Amino acid sequence: MTDSSKLDHLLHLYRQMQLIRRVEEEAAAAYAKGKIGGFLHLYIGQEAVAAGCSAAMRPEDTMIGTYRDHGMALVRGMSARALMAELYGKDTGCSRGLGGSMHLFDAKNRMLGGYGIVGGHIPLAAGVAFASKYRDEKAVTLCFFGEGAVPIGDFHEGLSLAALWKLPVVFICENNEFSMGTPMSRTLSVEDLTLKAPGYGMQSDRLIVEDVLEVEAHIRKAIDRAREHNEPALIELRTYRFRGHSMSDPGKYRSREEVEAHKARDPLLRARKQLVDGGREADVLRVEEEIEAEVLDAVQFAESSPEPSADLLEATTYVGPFAR
Amino acid sequence: MGTRSLRFREALRAAMLEEMERDDSVFLLGEEVGHYQGAYKVTEGLLEKFGPKRVIDTPIAESGFAGIAIGAAMVGLRPIVEFMTWNFSAVAFDQILNNAAKLRQMSGGQLQVPIVFRAPNGSARQVGSQHSHAMEHFYAHIPGIKCIAPATPADAYGMMKTAIRDENPVLVFESETLYSLKGDVPDDPDFTVPFGVASVAREGKDISLISWSRPVHVCLDAAAELARQGIDAEVIDLRSLRPLDEETILRSVRKTHRAVIVHEGWSYGGVGAEIADRIQRFAFDDLDAPVGRVSFLDVPMPYNAALEQHVIPNTPRVVEAARAALYAR
Ligand SMILES: Cc1ncc(C[n+]2csc(CCOP(=O)(O)OP(=O)(O)O)c2C)c(N)n1
């Protein structure tokens, strides 16, 4: 890649990361005003994971993840409007207001969901990969989860079967060091989570997330192996969330200094600085301005959208007549 | 249309085989379904016919392989998952409850999950407390899935086909003690039995015995005994629990004015309680006696053969409950 095309690409990723951050900042504000209910898990600080991984994917590839899913949805092509309207529980949301923040789905873009049961989606991801292999589609599934999912059974069953059946799936553990308020030292017996992989005969890789392009490069290798050889992999990405676990978490289990130290290494600001240093400040400012407009438009769209009708409920529970 | 005489397990197998021939996206997975020919020989010969791509032996990882099957179904394959028995589905309960049943609604209707889970259910013979659960009560509670429990080979055949062709998750509750039961099965690969339609296994005018799966046969025995005592019992075989054929239940109760619900599993909550509720809500004025219940006694299943028979609904208990509803004690 020439320097200029590399910077173009970085600008594209910066755009995605900045969009996630600004959408979430506005979502947090709307939550504080009571416009958004339930749980809202922000991804702020971890954006380079979604953007970097998505950059290594093809359109036919699938992404599947946890309730911390806003970043995934946006990088796979969901509009800020459809996302914000879903958070508002509106009929124009991606899941017509029936899923909410934790359950974003965009089947067209093969973003197959955010899931609320820790670890429960890991076998599903292996299943999507199973279907790709069954139909010889040469498509890869990327499955995201936190380090808090590593101790649960479905992590082990999912990885064990994916390795046994050689499924084209890449398991990405976004290790943000905390499972809600519990540091990993109190949930896991080892610090290096890729140690789990050899037990399944699975490839692995780990990386501290500082540079979005580096994330992309590492994930690309795993995706290529999965696509070419049906070799699943476990990748641990060390990252950090700048906000609480969800909106109700004041974050008393970690010090202000610790959080500030991580913010100083914010991968989003690092990408921005690389762009500015590369002479792209004007592009950066233009992108930021565009995103402001896009995000404000999304909020207005969500505000003014209609509520879903109760008629939807039974119609979306079963295909065909309701079974009672 | 001709018929053939098949055992219950052969009827299930024929349905799966024909549907797998009809549609490449149908595949089968579970413990011992392939090389071992099925723990209860339901899947015998399918590996040889379809090969390891479509008949897949799994390790003992119910949550994992149920989840994989759901994932495959949500992108268009049509898996048939065999649990060795429904008891072991308990460790996959989360996958069925939170993924299979919820994906369609939480995606706003974008996704659907055409999948079949099937296994023997309920009491077997002296297999003890952990292997004797009637799991349909846990699952029928859940909107988003369908639950069926055939009692005859013809229904097993026709309903298994309907299940495989359904676009929703369908749970098929079979019975180890019915697998060898023989019956006439239509010789027509397009014979299907719709869900939500009960069958009247025996017509009668004095009392309605309402049941499904293995206890239907207990009810038929009890009806024969009641006939000897001058009582003409009707036996309703529900076949399908969700959807439930409320109309046939109510029509029967409006005719007989008395009902006893007979099933495996405990009576606290569950499908029997749901049926009793619908009868009292929609046929209150037609009832001449409280609705009776015959179920597992409210204890874990004992191993001892005599005590097990004591806990399972049996003919004398059904007869007694029917006589009580007729004030004929
Ligand atoms: C099976 C299960 N148990 C508990 C919870 C409640 N819960 C939701 S998120 C969470 C912490 C998960 O942490 P981690 O997996 O590290 O992901 P992160 O939130 O850090 O992204 C817990 C305990 C749940 N959703 N599912």
Side-chain angles (χ1 to χ4, degrees), chain B residues 10 39 59 66 81 93 107 113 132 146 159-160 218 238 256 280-281:
Chain B
E10 294 165 340
V81 179
F93 188 70
S107 68
V113 185
S132 301
K146 300 183 181 179
M159 296 185 89
M160 179 59 73
V218 177
L238 290 174
T256 63
Q280 66 82 21
R281 260 191 299 149

PDB file of all heavy atoms in Angstrom, chain B residues 10 39 59 66 81 93 107 113 132 146 159-160 218 238 256 280-281:
ATOM      1  N   GLU B  10     -39.662 -46.712  13.197  1.00  0.00           N
ATOM      2  CA  GLU B  10     -39.493 -46.799  11.740  1.00  0.00           C
ATOM      3  C   GLU B  10     -40.268 -45.681  11.038  1.00  0.00           C
ATOM      4  O   GLU B  10     -39.839 -45.165  10.001  1.00  0.00           O
ATOM      5  CB  GLU B  10     -39.989 -48.157  11.225  1.00  0.00           C
ATOM      6  CG  GLU B  10     -39.156 -49.331  11.714  1.00  0.00           C
ATOM      7  CD  GLU B  10     -39.838 -50.685  11.522  1.00  0.00           C
ATOM      8  OE1 GLU B  10     -41.090 -50.726  11.363  1.00  0.00           O
ATOM      9  OE2 GLU B  10     -39.124 -51.693  11.538  1.00  0.00           O
ATOM     10  N   ALA B  39     -29.112 -44.281  19.562  1.00  0.00           N
ATOM     11  CA  ALA B  39     -29.186 -44.905  20.885  1.00  0.00           C
ATOM     12  C   ALA B  39     -30.436 -45.771  20.990  1.00  0.00           C
ATOM     13  O   ALA B  39     -30.438 -46.786  21.672  1.00  0.00           O
ATOM     14  CB  ALA B  39     -29.189 -43.832  21.971  1.00  0.00           C
ATOM     15  N   PRO B  59     -20.109 -35.049  19.850  1.00  0.00           N
ATOM     16  CA  PRO B  59     -19.694 -35.388  21.213  1.00  0.00           C
ATOM     17  C   PRO B  59     -20.805 -35.006  22.203  1.00  0.00           C
ATOM     18  O   PRO B  59     -21.831 -34.455  21.811  1.00  0.00           O
ATOM     19  CB  PRO B  59     -18.451 -34.532  21.438  1.00  0.00           C
ATOM     20  CG  PRO B  59     -18.388 -33.562  20.328  1.00  0.00           C
ATOM     21  CD  PRO B  59     -19.399 -33.908  19.295  1.00  0.00           C
ATOM     22  N   ALA B  66     -26.625 -28.046  20.086  1.00  0.00           N
ATOM     23  CA  ALA B  66     -27.940 -27.402  19.881  1.00  0.00           C
ATOM     24  C   ALA B  66     -27.725 -25.986  19.369  1.00  0.00           C
ATOM     25  O   ALA B  66     -28.397 -25.538  18.432  1.00  0.00           O
ATOM     26  CB  ALA B  66     -28.734 -27.377  21.185  1.00  0.00           C
ATOM     27  N   VAL B  81     -32.156 -32.075  15.307  1.00  0.00           N
ATOM     28  CA  VAL B  81     -31.278 -32.368  16.431  1.00  0.00           C
ATOM     29  C   VAL B  81     -31.888 -33.496  17.244  1.00  0.00           C
ATOM     30  O   VAL B  81     -33.016 -33.377  17.708  1.00  0.00           O
ATOM     31  CB  VAL B  81     -31.123 -31.130  17.344  1.00  0.00           C
ATOM     32  CG1 VAL B  81     -30.222 -31.456  18.533  1.00  0.00           C
ATOM     33  CG2 VAL B  81     -30.581 -29.939  16.565  1.00  0.00           C
ATOM     34  N   PHE B  93     -30.981 -26.024  27.594  1.00  0.00           N
ATOM     35  CA  PHE B  93     -32.234 -25.270  27.751  1.00  0.00           C
ATOM     36  C   PHE B  93     -32.067 -23.817  27.336  1.00  0.00           C
ATOM     37  O   PHE B  93     -32.910 -23.236  26.654  1.00  0.00           O
ATOM     38  CB  PHE B  93     -32.698 -25.365  29.210  1.00  0.00           C
ATOM     39  CG  PHE B  93     -34.063 -24.781  29.446  1.00  0.00           C
ATOM     40  CD1 PHE B  93     -35.194 -25.403  28.944  1.00  0.00           C
ATOM     41  CD2 PHE B  93     -34.226 -23.609  30.171  1.00  0.00           C
ATOM     42  CE1 PHE B  93     -36.464 -24.868  29.154  1.00  0.00           C
ATOM     43  CE2 PHE B  93     -35.487 -23.071  30.393  1.00  0.00           C
ATOM     44  CZ  PHE B  93     -36.611 -23.694  29.880  1.00  0.00           C
ATOM     45  N   SER B 107     -35.088 -10.035  16.455  1.00  0.00           N
ATOM     46  CA  SER B 107     -34.534  -9.450  15.224  1.00  0.00           C
ATOM     47  C   SER B 107     -35.623  -8.693  14.463  1.00  0.00           C
ATOM     48  O   SER B 107     -35.435  -8.338  13.310  1.00  0.00           O
ATOM     49  CB  SER B 107     -33.933 -10.543  14.336  1.00  0.00           C
ATOM     50  OG  SER B 107     -34.942 -11.399  13.828  1.00  0.00           O
ATOM     51  N   VAL B 113     -35.992 -19.599  12.415  1.00  0.00           N
ATOM     52  CA  VAL B 113     -35.188 -20.741  12.862  1.00  0.00           C
ATOM     53  C   VAL B 113     -35.928 -22.048  12.575  1.00  0.00           C
ATOM     54  O   VAL B 113     -36.606 -22.600  13.429  1.00  0.00           O
ATOM     55  CB  VAL B 113     -34.874 -20.614  14.375  1.00  0.00           C
ATOM     56  CG1 VAL B 113     -33.927 -21.730  14.814  1.00  0.00           C
ATOM     57  CG2 VAL B 113     -34.263 -19.258  14.698  1.00  0.00           C
ATOM     58  N   SER B 132     -36.086 -39.663  33.748  1.00  0.00           N
ATOM     59  CA  SER B 132     -37.512 -39.944  33.554  1.00  0.00           C
ATOM     60  C   SER B 132     -38.359 -38.684  33.412  1.00  0.00           C
ATOM     61  O   SER B 132     -39.563 -38.728  33.611  1.00  0.00           O
ATOM     62  CB  SER B 132     -38.039 -40.759  34.745  1.00  0.00           C
ATOM     63  OG  SER B 132     -37.329 -41.974  34.874  1.00  0.00           O
ATOM     64  N   LYS B 146     -42.883 -24.692  18.927  1.00  0.00           N
ATOM     65  CA  LYS B 146     -44.034 -25.578  18.862  1.00  0.00           C
ATOM     66  C   LYS B 146     -43.657 -26.899  19.525  1.00  0.00           C
ATOM     67  O   LYS B 146     -42.504 -27.323  19.427  1.00  0.00           O
ATOM     68  CB  LYS B 146     -44.446 -25.816  17.402  1.00  0.00           C
ATOM     69  CG  LYS B 146     -44.838 -24.527  16.675  1.00  0.00           C
ATOM     70  CD  LYS B 146     -45.320 -24.777  15.258  1.00  0.00           C
ATOM     71  CE  LYS B 146     -45.680 -23.452  14.588  1.00  0.00           C
ATOM     72  NZ  LYS B 146     -46.129 -23.653  13.183  1.00  0.00           N
ATOM     73  N   MET B 159     -46.427 -36.135  11.516  1.00  0.00           N
ATOM     74  CA  MET B 159     -46.068 -34.930  12.274  1.00  0.00           C
ATOM     75  C   MET B 159     -44.583 -34.634  12.184  1.00  0.00           C
ATOM     76  O   MET B 159     -44.172 -33.477  12.213  1.00  0.00           O
ATOM     77  CB  MET B 159     -46.503 -35.078  13.728  1.00  0.00           C
ATOM     78  CG  MET B 159     -48.020 -35.176  13.846  1.00  0.00           C
ATOM     79  SD  MET B 159     -48.614 -35.212  15.530  1.00  0.00           S
ATOM     80  CE  MET B 159     -48.812 -33.467  15.853  1.00  0.00           C
ATOM     81  N   MET B 160     -43.769 -35.677  12.059  1.00  0.00           N
ATOM     82  CA  MET B 160     -42.333 -35.428  11.876  1.00  0.00           C
ATOM     83  C   MET B 160     -42.103 -34.697  10.554  1.00  0.00           C
ATOM     84  O   MET B 160     -41.299 -33.777  10.465  1.00  0.00           O
ATOM     85  CB  MET B 160     -41.557 -36.752  11.912  1.00  0.00           C
ATOM     86  CG  MET B 160     -40.060 -36.602  11.715  1.00  0.00           C
ATOM     87  SD  MET B 160     -39.271 -35.546  12.947  1.00  0.00           S
ATOM     88  CE  MET B 160     -39.321 -36.614  14.350  1.00  0.00           C
ATOM     89  N   VAL B 218     -52.737 -45.592  27.867  1.00  0.00           N
ATOM     90  CA  VAL B 218     -53.258 -45.874  29.212  1.00  0.00           C
ATOM     91  C   VAL B 218     -54.742 -45.475  29.254  1.00  0.00           C
ATOM     92  O   VAL B 218     -55.586 -46.205  29.786  1.00  0.00           O
ATOM     93  CB  VAL B 218     -52.448 -45.104  30.283  1.00  0.00           C
ATOM     94  CG1 VAL B 218     -53.040 -45.337  31.672  1.00  0.00           C
ATOM     95  CG2 VAL B 218     -50.978 -45.507  30.240  1.00  0.00           C
ATOM     96  N   LEU B 238     -54.262 -35.425  22.065  1.00  0.00           N
ATOM     97  CA  LEU B 238     -53.991 -34.039  21.620  1.00  0.00           C
ATOM     98  C   LEU B 238     -52.966 -33.979  20.486  1.00  0.00           C
ATOM     99  O   LEU B 238     -53.015 -33.090  19.645  1.00  0.00           O
ATOM    100  CB  LEU B 238     -53.502 -33.207  22.804  1.00  0.00           C
ATOM    101  CG  LEU B 238     -54.564 -32.911  23.848  1.00  0.00           C
ATOM    102  CD1 LEU B 238     -53.926 -32.214  25.043  1.00  0.00           C
ATOM    103  CD2 LEU B 238     -55.667 -32.045  23.257  1.00  0.00           C
ATOM    104  N   THR B 256     -69.608 -34.344  26.991  1.00  0.00           N
ATOM    105  CA  THR B 256     -69.562 -35.284  28.131  1.00  0.00           C
ATOM    106  C   THR B 256     -69.761 -34.593  29.480  1.00  0.00           C
ATOM    107  O   THR B 256     -70.072 -35.248  30.468  1.00  0.00           O
ATOM    108  CB  THR B 256     -68.197 -35.997  28.175  1.00  0.00           C
ATOM    109  OG1 THR B 256     -67.177 -35.007  28.406  1.00  0.00           O
ATOM    110  CG2 THR B 256     -67.898 -36.714  26.869  1.00  0.00           C
ATOM    111  N   GLN B 280     -62.121 -24.573  32.255  1.00  0.00           N
ATOM    112  CA  GLN B 280     -62.956 -23.812  33.202  1.00  0.00           C
ATOM    113  C   GLN B 280     -63.281 -22.428  32.660  1.00  0.00           C
ATOM    114  O   GLN B 280     -64.346 -21.882  32.935  1.00  0.00           O
ATOM    115  CB  GLN B 280     -62.320 -23.761  34.597  1.00  0.00           C
ATOM    116  CG  GLN B 280     -61.010 -22.993  34.743  1.00  0.00           C
ATOM    117  CD  GLN B 280     -61.178 -21.488  34.887  1.00  0.00           C
ATOM    118  OE1 GLN B 280     -62.242 -21.017  35.267  1.00  0.00           O
ATOM    119  NE2 GLN B 280     -60.145 -20.744  34.527  1.00  0.00           N
ATOM    120  N   ARG B 281     -62.392 -21.880  31.864  1.00  0.00           N
ATOM    121  CA  ARG B 281     -62.680 -20.533  31.339  1.00  0.00           C
ATOM    122  C   ARG B 281     -63.727 -20.554  30.243  1.00  0.00           C
ATOM    123  O   ARG B 281     -64.561 -19.666  30.145  1.00  0.00           O
ATOM    124  CB  ARG B 281     -61.393 -19.899  30.787  1.00  0.00           C
ATOM    125  CG  ARG B 281     -60.771 -18.929  31.769  1.00  0.00           C
ATOM    126  CD  ARG B 281     -59.664 -18.114  31.156  1.00  0.00           C
ATOM    127  NE  ARG B 281     -58.552 -18.921  30.672  1.00  0.00           N
ATOM    128  CZ  ARG B 281     -57.803 -18.583  29.632  1.00  0.00           C
ATOM    129  NH1 ARG B 281     -58.053 -17.481  28.956  1.00  0.00           N
ATOM    130  NH2 ARG B 281     -56.795 -19.355  29.260  1.00  0.00           N
TER     131      ARG B 281
END
